[in-house]
Amino acid sequence: MSLSKLRGAFGALIATFALLAAAPATFAATRDYTVTAPDGVVLAVQEAGDPEGSPIIFIHGLLGSRLNWTKQLQDPRLQHYRLITYDLRGHGLSGKPAEASSYTDGRRWADDLAAIIESTHARKPVLVGWSLGGAVISNYLAAYGDKGIAGAVYVDGVIELKPDQIVAHPEVYRDMIASDLQTHLDGERAFLRLCFHRQPDATTFSLLLANAALVSWDMQRAVRSMTVEAAKGLSKAEVPLLLLYGAQDALVKAKPSIARAKSLNPRIRSELYADSGHAPFLEEPERFNRDLSDFVRMALSR
């Protein structure tokens, strides 16, 4: 090997070691722990990414768990952030109280999120809420304001549980709360299929169905009556808010929901994904992660 090539190879080796030394936290293992909500419900939490990075808190939707966000947690563009996920009450490995009030009272869900932010010492996090997770963000904003966060992203988020914004699927929702196990599971499978315009691969769908099987039946019966303080929460928010919706959403009416949100807060930005359904973060993850990364960078620079 010539001297010039040897120097070049040595320089590349040094550069590689420098990159590895500069960002060891980027490859840190995930960390699992629990946080207790004010009413005693234990919430399962997981962290990934850079523990010293700016925090992003991901809030999944109905029948989900923190595992919904795998394509975001593994994206290189997001690895330098502190990526916090948790299972909503009644879901995943979090507590599943039996009382209907544990789910109908939207303030309980807001208090859960506040407990996550406080217990993790997440300073000025960006919140990302999918579907039901959007309602959680609105209730948080109504109860706690926006002083403690840098911004929020609604991903096909529920703005209000009203017929002009939610697509009616009476048979599916009826079956989801049926006492007969076969009917119940068939209803959940049908609901999950409605989440996608671009149906996921078999492995992903199996994981989603397993998530659904862990969900509390008490929660499913009660959550349709959950209070959502969108008018109070969104109208006073001054931090950046972004709505990312799939134009083919079969569960939430995208355009009416966006219009309602903007009527409450004209500063809200929105974008429609023409070829996605209710779950653009899974249907078009590359585009979604790019849009999310751009938004987080903007929100944190303010």
Side-chain angles (χ1 to χ4, degrees):
M1 180 181 290
S2 68
L3 183 59
S4 61
K5 289 184 178 180
L6 183 61
R7 286 173 176 169
F10 183 71
L13 184 62
I14 292 296
T16 300
F17 281 126
L19 285 172
L20 291 173
T26 301
F27 305 98
T30 58
R31 186 164 71 94
D32 295 271
Y33 54 95
T34 60
V35 168
T36 302
D39 65 354
V41 174
V42 177
L43 304 170
V45 186
Q46 184 180 71
E47 290 195 31
D50 184 350
E52 302 300 324
S54 297
I56 304 174
I57 299 179
F58 294 90
I59 309 158
H60 66 78
L62 183 65
L63 301 192
S65 81
R66 61 191 193 273
L67 297 178
N68 287 142
W69 302 107
T70 299
K71 290 186 182 296
Q72 284 64 58
L73 302 187
Q74 295 177 347
D75 192 286
R77 280 166 294 205
L78 300 173
Q79 287 300 303
H80 60 284
Y81 295 111
R82 182 184 177 197
L83 306 174
I84 302 171
T85 58
Y86 73 101
D87 294 342
L88 292 171
R89 57 177 51 221
H91 294 75
L93 298 181
S94 288
K96 300 174 176 63
E99 302 82 7
S101 60
S102 296
Y103 307 109
T104 58
D105 182 0
R107 176 63 186 260
R108 305 278 190 106
W109 304 77
D111 290 344
D112 291 350
L113 178 53
I116 296 291
I117 293 172
E118 180 180 2
S119 297
T120 60
H121 307 288
R123 185 177 179 277
K124 291 284 187 178
V126 170
L127 308 179
V128 182
W130 174 42
S131 193
L132 179 63
V136 174
I137 293 175
S138 292
N139 284 334
Y140 171 85
L141 291 171
Y144 294 93
D146 65 355
K147 301 303 181 184
I149 66 172
V153 181
Y154 286 63
V155 187
D156 290 74
V158 170
I159 303 302
E160 294 166 325
L161 289 167
K162 295 183 177 180
D164 63 327
Q165 300 171 42
I166 304 297
V167 182
H169 294 286
E171 296 85 2
V172 174
Y173 289 112
R174 177 201 63 204
D175 291 351
M176 286 169 63
I177 60 174
S179 57
D180 176 71
L181 180 60
Q182 182 69 56
T183 304
H184 169 77
L185 293 176
D186 286 345
E188 294 194 330
R189 184 182 293 106
F191 176 86
L192 291 173
R193 288 296 183 197
L194 288 169
C195 286
F196 299 94
H197 176 61
R198 302 180 179 187
Q199 291 296 316
D201 61 79
T203 299
T204 299
F205 191 80
S206 295
L207 178 63
L208 295 173
L209 195 57
N211 274 341
L214 289 173
V215 170
S216 160
W217 289 20
D218 296 311
M219 185 279 301
Q220 292 185 67
R221 294 186 181 98
V223 74
R224 291 180 296 173
S225 299
M226 173 184 175
T227 56
V228 184
E229 299 287 350
K232 182 179 178 181
L234 288 175
S235 62
K236 296 181 180 179
E238 296 182 358
V239 296
L241 299 175
L242 174 63
L243 275 57
L244 299 177
Y245 282 64
Q248 309 301 322
D249 195 327
L251 293 171
V252 171
K253 298 177 183 179
K255 290 183 178 179
S257 296
I258 292 171
R260 174 55 175 161
K262 289 187 175 182
S263 75
L264 296 171
N265 187 333
R267 295 184 299 274
I268 289 175
R269 292 172 46 218
S270 66
E271 185 171 346
L272 278 173
Y273 286 39
D275 296 323
S276 280
H278 190 60
F281 66 102
L282 287 172
E283 296 176 72
E284 298 184 67
E286 286 295 320
R287 177 182 175 185
F288 177 87
N289 293 345
R290 182 176 64 250
D291 289 344
L292 175 58
S293 179
D294 290 345
F295 176 82
V296 172
R297 188 166 54 251
M298 179 275 295
L300 294 175
S301 68
R302 294 175 73 252

